[in-house]
Amino acid sequence: MNNSNYFLGIMTAIVGLMMLLAAESMVQILVIVLGISAILNAGFILAAVAPLSADKTFKTECYIRAVVGIIVGLACVVIPIRVAEFAWQTLVYVFAIYSLLAALVEIPIALTLRKDGIPAKRYALEIAASLALSVILFALPSSFGFTIIRIGGALLLLAGAAITFLAWKNRDIIADDAIVRDE
C-alpha cells in the first residue's frame, strides 16, 4: 500500500472525530456540501442525461430537475453564509423535500431510459439514495438526527483507524536494499 492510504485513513478518522465532537457544525458543512453536490448533479443531468433521449417529455423532466437542483444548491451554498442558524434548519428541510421530489421525478426518467434500451440501474440507485437522504435529512434537526451524525462519526473514526492499520500492516518492508513483499 502506498502513502495515500495512510492519508485516507487519517482524514477519514479526523472527519469521524469531528462528527462525534461537533455534530451541529457538521450539519452546517453537510448543507453546503449537499448544495454543491446538487449543483454538480444538475450539471451532469444537463450535460449527460438530457441528450440520451429524443423524447420531449424526457428532456423537459431533465431540465426541470436540473434547474430546481441548481436553485436549491445555490440556496444551500449562499444562504448559510448570509443568515444565522434558522437558515440551517430551514435548508435541511428544503434539501430533504428537494431530495424526495428529485427521486419522484427521476422515476419516469429512469423508466424512459430503460424503455429506450439504456441501462438504468445507476438511476434506480440514485432514486433509492435520494429517498434515503430525504429521510435522514428530515430527521437531522431533531436530537435523533444528531445521534445519526454521531453514529456515522463513530463509524468513520473506526473505518479511518482500520484503513490506517491495514496500510501500516501491508506496507513494503525494505531489507538490505531489497523490497520484500509480505504476500
Side-chain angles (χ1 to χ4, degrees):
M1 288 194 162
N2 56 21
N3 289 336
S4 65
N5 289 333
Y6 287 114
F7 181 73
L8 175 66
I10 292 169
M11 291 308 295
T12 302
I14 289 172
V15 169
L17 189 60
M18 288 172 50
M19 289 173 71
L20 276 171
L21 299 177
E24 293 84 9
S25 298
M26 288 307 294
V27 171
Q28 295 170 348
I29 292 169
L30 177 69
V31 168
I32 292 173
V33 168
L34 288 174
I36 292 169
S37 69
I39 293 169
L40 293 175
N41 185 272
F44 174 77
I45 288 172
L46 289 174
V49 177
L52 291 176
S53 178
D55 184 25
K56 202 172 197 176
T57 305
F58 174 81
K59 287 193 180 292
T60 304
E61 291 167 347
C62 287
Y63 294 145
I64 289 171
R65 188 175 184 292
V67 168
V68 171
I70 290 171
I71 292 169
V72 170
L74 285 174
C76 288
V77 172
V78 173
I79 291 176
I81 296 170
R82 305 274 184 221
V83 186
E85 190 169 321
F86 172 73
W88 295 111
Q89 222 170 10
T90 304
L91 286 174
V92 167
Y93 286 130
V94 166
F95 202 86
I97 292 168
Y98 163 72
S99 293
L100 182 63
L101 294 176
L104 295 176
V105 169
E106 192 83 22
I107 292 170
I109 291 173
L111 292 174
T112 301
L113 289 175
R114 188 169 184 209
K115 183 180 76 176
D116 289 345
I118 299 170
K121 184 177 181 180
R122 177 195 176 280
Y123 302 102
L125 291 173
E126 186 176 333
I127 292 167
S130 292
L131 289 173
L133 180 64
S134 69
V135 168
I136 290 170
L137 289 175
F138 277 123
L140 269 182
S142 67
S143 62
F144 175 70
F146 290 121
T147 303
I148 291 173
I149 295 246
R150 287 188 176 100
I151 290 170
L155 292 174
L156 281 176
L157 184 61
L158 292 173
I163 291 168
T164 305
F165 174 74
L166 290 173
W168 172 79
K169 186 177 183 290
N170 296 328
R171 72 191 183 283
D172 293 336
I173 300 171
I174 300 175
D176 295 329
D177 296 330
I179 297 176
V180 179
R181 297 196 192 280
D182 185 23
E183 296 181 29

